Amino acid sequence: MPLPRPSSVLPIVLMLVAVAPAAHAQRHSERDSERHTPPWERRSSATFAIGGAGLYTGVRDSDVGRVRDGYGFDVHAAVGVSAFALAGGYQRTVQSLRDTDTDVTLQGPYVEPRLALASGGNFTPYLTGRVAFLRQRVSGDVVSVSNATRTSVGGGLGMLVALGPAVHLDLTAQYTRFDVRQDTRHGDGALLRAGMVFGFDRWGR
């Protein structure tokens, strides 16, 4: 089989040399465009996630002022499109009153909208809000308000840290405001979350 003459191969080599940088530049241009486009302007299909977290909560009641910081948990499911997500779940925390053997349990459903901000690498920061409808149960040697309903409204900043495909560490810090129905008491405090989220492989990125 005769070998091709150099004069016939040279135009092909020159064409490849000319086309390769252009293709490489186009790929980089597409990546840069996606990287610098704000998450809320990107278009993506819906993604889903489930998760759970441990809670640290502090409530300062303006009338009583004796509620200690407490601990608990929450579980949730969420759907996200582009940079927006909506989670719904259940939370439960247990606190105690100072100088007594009385526990205060707050538990009930909540909804939490989220907005992803510009991400960097494996980190996706997001703004978050939360509205919870909590049943308060007081048990112990002192009973002040039993079976009252608290409406909790709050907001703050969170961050998803990718640990693997569709596996994230979820960290959140929120300010919360409580109201007690059938009563005049109000309270505010902080809610800290640390947990895991499974899903949301490309949410906000």
Side-chain angles (χ1 to χ4, degrees):
M1 178 177 179
L3 296 175
R5 287 183 294 178
S7 59
S8 62
V9 175
L10 184 59
I12 299 176
V13 174
L14 293 176
M15 183 178 66
L16 293 176
V17 171
V19 171
H24 182 71
Q26 182 179 0
R27 287 195 299 268
H28 276 277
S29 177
E30 293 174 353
R31 293 174 184 173
D32 291 341
S33 176
E34 180 180 354
R35 184 180 300 116
H36 297 295
T37 301
W40 50 87
E41 293 184 3
R42 300 173 190 167
R43 297 293 180 265
S44 61
S45 58
T47 58
F48 301 90
I50 58 173
L55 302 181
Y56 172 84
T57 181
V59 177
R60 299 293 178 263
D61 191 297
S62 60
D63 292 324
V64 179
R66 295 190 299 158
V67 182
R68 295 179 182 270
D69 296 346
Y71 302 88
F73 69 91
D74 77 5
V75 292
H76 73 273
V79 57
V81 178
S82 187
F84 301 96
L86 182 63
Y90 175 88
Q91 70 178 70
R92 184 179 190 271
T93 59
V94 178
Q95 296 163 269
S96 62
L97 298 180
R98 298 181 188 276
D99 304 321
T100 71
D101 293 327
T102 301
D103 290 332
V104 179
T105 302
L106 295 172
Q107 57 188 342
Y110 71 89
V111 292
E112 184 176 285
R114 297 178 177 182
L115 173 64
L117 305 176
S119 62
N122 293 332
F123 300 90
T124 303
Y126 61 87
L127 297 175
T128 178
R130 176 179 288 217
V131 179
F133 305 95
L134 307 176
R135 176 68 64 179
Q136 175 179 281
R137 180 172 58 86
V138 179
S139 59
D141 58 0
V142 174
V143 177
S144 55
V145 179
S146 182
N147 294 324
T149 300
R150 285 182 178 263
T151 301
S152 169
V153 179
L157 183 64
M159 179 172 293
L160 289 181
V161 182
L163 303 179
V167 179
H168 300 81
L169 176 65
D170 188 16
L171 305 173
T172 309
Q174 295 183 354
Y175 166 82
T176 58
R177 174 70 177 174
F178 292 91
D179 293 315
V180 182
R181 296 179 183 176
Q182 303 173 351
D183 206 307
T184 60
R185 296 177 184 174
H186 302 283
D188 59 3
L191 179 68
L192 304 179
R193 299 175 62 251
M196 301 294 295
V197 170
F198 301 93
F200 278 174
D201 188 27
R202 297 293 300 173
W203 179 72
R205 290 191 289 159

